[in-house]
Amino acid sequence: MNTSMDRKRLFIFLAIACGISWLVALGLYLSQGRLNTSFSALSGQLVVTLVVGFGYMWGPALANILTRVLTREGWGHAFLRPNFRRGWPYWLLAWLGPVVLTVAGMVVYFLVFPEHYDASMPLVREQLEASGVTLNIPSWVYGLLQLPNVLLVGLVINSFFTFGEEFGWRAYLLQKLLPLGPRWAVVISGVIWGLWHWPMIAMGHNYGLNYAGAPWLGILVMTWFTLWLGVILSWLVLRGGSVWPAVIGHAIINAVAGLGMIWVSGQPNLLLGPTAAGLVGGIGFTLAGLILFLWPGALPGAESLSEKNESA
C-alpha cells in the first residue's frame, strides 16, 4: 500500500462517487410525482428502495472501480479477499454487534422518553389488523422473532446494497486517507460518508421533514451517526483485513436500525430516536465508536494494514 497521500485519485474517486449518487437522487426527486401516480404505495416504495439500493448506494463502489480503471491504478489492496481464517472474530462481531448496540440505544431512548413507549405495539398491530391478522403474543416475543429475519434474511438482502457503499468508503477512501493517520482517516471518511447522504436526508429519508431546522439539522445528525459508525466499520476492516466484515455490519445495521419503532407511541422526533440513526437511539454506536477511537492502537495505520494484506 502506498503510504503517501494520493490526492489525485482521492479527488477523482469523490467526484465520481458523489456525482453518480447525487444524479440518482436528482432523478428520484424529479420523478417522485410520477412514481406516486404510476404505482401503488407499496410498489412505489419498492421502486424507490431498488433505485436507492442499486443506484445511490452503489455510487461509491462504481467510483472505486472507475477510478482504478481511469488512473490505471490496478487492483492491489482491494480488500476483497475474505481473510476469514484470521479475521473471523470481526465477521462475528459485525454480525451480532449491531443488534446489541441497537437494542442498547433503544432501551436508553425509551428510558429517557417513556411517553413514546407502548408495549401493545400500536403501529405493528394496526398494520397486521389491516391485513386481517390478529397478534396474540407478547410484544417482547414478537421482537425476538424479528431477530432471525434481521440476522439471516436482512443480512443476505442488504449485503447486495451495502457492498456498494463499503467497497467505496472503507475499501478505497479509507486507505487513501490512512497516510494522514488512522484517526484522521476514520474521522474524515465518516464525515464525507455523512455529507454524501445529504440529498436523501433533504428528501425526507431517515428523519422525515417535520422537525425544526429541516433538512440541515437532519444532515448534521446523520453525519454524527456516520462518524461513529464509520469508526466501527473502519475498525472491522483494518483489523479484519477485508471489506466483508464492514459489508456484513452495515447490512445488519440497516436491517435492525428501526427495531424500536415496534413499540413507538405518538410522534417521536426521529432526530433523537428510537431508531439507531437518532442521537439518543444511536448512543450505543456513539459510545462504541468513541472507545475504539480513543483506545491506543485500536486503529492500525497504513503500514500495518499493508503488511497484514501482503501476508494474508
Side-chain angles (χ1 to χ4, degrees):
M1 176 184 293
N2 187 359
T3 56
S4 62
M5 191 72 172
D6 193 344
R7 289 180 174 83
K8 176 183 177 181
R9 289 191 173 100
L10 174 63
F11 291 132
I12 291 174
F13 166 81
L14 290 175
I16 296 175
C18 293
I20 291 174
S21 297
W22 293 353
L23 281 175
V24 170
L26 177 62
L28 187 61
Y29 173 76
L30 294 176
S31 62
Q32 283 278 21
R34 281 175 288 182
L35 285 176
N36 293 336
T37 57
S38 300
F39 299 94
S40 66
L42 181 61
S43 60
Q45 184 59 43
L46 177 61
V47 171
V48 171
T49 299
L50 292 175
V51 170
V52 172
F54 287 113
Y56 199 95
M57 293 177 69
W58 265 77
L62 294 175
N64 183 346
I65 296 169
L66 290 173
T67 301
R68 290 176 181 274
V69 172
L70 293 173
T71 65
R72 300 181 181 180
E73 182 176 359
W75 296 97
H77 304 291
F79 302 108
L80 288 172
R81 182 180 298 180
N83 221 358
F84 187 76
R85 179 177 294 182
R86 295 179 57 183
W88 70 265
Y90 302 99
W91 288 59
L92 184 62
L93 285 171
W95 188 46
L96 299 178
V99 176
V100 174
L101 297 177
T102 298
V103 171
M106 178 186 70
V107 170
V108 171
Y109 177 85
F110 286 128
L111 287 174
V112 175
F113 301 101
E115 67 274 16
H116 289 150
Y117 176 76
D118 188 338
S120 70
M121 305 181 299
L123 295 178
V124 173
R125 290 185 182 277
E126 181 181 339
Q127 293 173 355
L128 291 177
E129 288 172 2
S131 303
V133 178
T134 301
L135 193 64
N136 294 315
I137 59 175
S139 63
W140 66 270
V141 174
Y142 181 83
L144 286 176
L145 291 175
Q146 304 311 303
L147 293 183
N149 181 56
V150 166
L151 293 172
L152 299 175
V153 180
L155 170 63
V156 173
I157 294 176
N158 288 344
S159 290
F160 288 102
F161 304 141
T162 58
F163 176 83
E165 290 191 51
E166 296 307 320
F167 189 52
W169 302 133
R170 250 60 65 180
Y172 195 83
L173 176 64
L174 180 64
Q175 68 162 302
K176 287 291 182 284
L177 294 172
L178 278 177
L180 298 175
R183 285 176 173 160
W184 275 112
V186 297
V187 167
I188 294 173
S189 61
V191 170
I192 289 173
W193 184 26
L195 296 177
W196 169 81
H197 284 84
W198 80 261
M200 303 307 297
I201 303 301
M203 286 191 286
H205 290 256
N206 294 98
Y207 306 113
L209 293 172
N210 188 27
Y211 57 88
W216 309 109
L217 190 55
I219 295 170
L220 291 177
V221 172
M222 174 56 70
T223 303
W224 175 260
F225 177 60
T226 59
L227 169 61
W228 299 112
L229 177 57
V231 172
I232 297 170
L233 295 177
S234 296
W235 175 75
L236 291 170
V237 170
L238 294 176
R239 284 295 173 185
S242 172
V243 71
W244 293 107
V247 172
I248 292 170
H250 194 165
I252 296 297
I253 291 162
N254 284 5
V256 78
L259 183 65
M261 297 301 292
I262 291 176
W263 295 277
V264 157
S265 175
Q267 298 293 326
N269 186 339
L270 295 179
L271 293 178
L272 299 176
T275 71
L279 290 174
V280 179
I283 191 69
F285 292 96
T286 300
L287 291 178
L290 186 60
I291 290 170
L292 291 173
F293 183 78
L294 296 177
W295 196 276
L299 298 167
E303 293 181 359
S304 175
L305 186 60
S306 181
E307 292 172 0
K308 180 179 293 188
N309 278 272
E310 288 172 1
S311 63

